[in-house]
Amino acid sequence: MAKKEHIVIDSDGNIEDSLPVAVIDTSYFMSTILVAYTSDENSEAQAFLQNLIEKNGQIIVPQLFWFEIGNVLLNAAKPKKDGSAGRITKAQLNEILMDIAALPIYTDFQPDSETRSRILSIALDEGLSYYDATYLELALRKDVALKTWDKALRQAAQNADLSI
């Protein structure tokens, strides 16, 4: 499959730079968000996101992403089982939500029956969950890179010749 060019053209019609566009799954995205609040998250993802923002790039996500993000944030804010404070405070949770709202995130449309069928086929062929296959299908359909920390999803993206 030929890769589409996502380019930026200046006012004279000259190619200025490539526009960074990627499907980003929850694991990768949240490591960029939580790095400011914890020391155990990956700063590589934060650098990628910062570069994407500086170059006026675009993050593409399936609708599922928002439910996963909500769940990760909820769990990060909940007190631990031993009664100690969560990873983030409620004030930090609200700050994170405002930061996320300011990011260049495009949410893909509700998948139709054809898209759902492709997702199921990808999940079966690659041994992925339906959730993970949703991100891979979107990256394949949009012909853009897929950013994830999930090993099985990364391997499936490599099998499909997607940039990761």
Side-chain angles (χ1 to χ4, degrees):
M1 173 186 297
K3 297 291 178 198
K4 295 178 193 169
E5 291 287 325
H6 302 279
I7 57 174
V8 176
I9 299 178
D10 67 17
S11 60
D12 295 324
N14 300 314
I15 295 176
E16 205 171 79
D17 198 3
S18 62
L19 181 66
V21 178
V23 170
I24 298 181
D25 82 345
T26 305
S27 68
Y28 196 90
F29 183 80
M30 288 312 295
S31 71
T32 67
I33 299 302
L34 293 177
V35 73
Y37 300 97
T38 61
S39 60
D40 62 340
E41 299 296 343
N42 194 311
S43 60
E44 175 188 327
Q46 186 180 34
F48 173 81
L49 183 62
Q50 186 64 38
N51 181 58
L52 182 134
I53 292 167
E54 288 172 1
K55 292 184 176 180
N56 294 317
Q58 184 75 61
I59 297 168
I60 304 173
V61 299
Q63 292 182 0
L64 163 70
F65 172 86
W66 296 108
F67 297 97
E68 292 181 320
I69 292 300
N71 197 53
V72 169
L73 290 172
L74 174 65
N75 287 324
K78 278 184 181 179
K80 296 179 183 171
K81 291 182 181 180
D82 66 6
S84 62
R87 292 174 65 190
I88 60 174
T89 66
K90 190 171 182 180
Q92 290 170 325
L93 172 65
N94 289 328
E95 183 179 315
I96 290 169
L97 290 173
M98 288 180 9
D99 290 346
I100 291 172
L103 293 174
I105 300 174
Y106 166 78
T107 305
D108 195 45
F109 57 85
Q110 178 71 23
D112 59 18
S113 61
E114 182 180 320
T115 302
R116 291 189 305 270
S117 179
R118 276 195 312 271
I119 293 167
L120 191 55
S121 179
I122 289 168
L124 288 169
D125 291 348
E126 296 293 337
L128 298 171
S129 70
Y130 191 88
Y131 304 114
D132 288 345
T134 300
Y135 289 95
L136 181 55
E137 187 281 332
L138 180 56
L140 287 167
R141 183 165 30 93
K142 299 293 185 181
D143 196 19
V144 298
L146 173 62
K147 295 295 188 180
T148 181
W149 295 127
D150 183 279
K151 290 180 184 179
L153 186 52
R154 285 176 67 89
Q155 184 59 56
Q158 288 175 330
N159 293 346
D161 292 327
L162 280 177
S163 298
I164 52 174

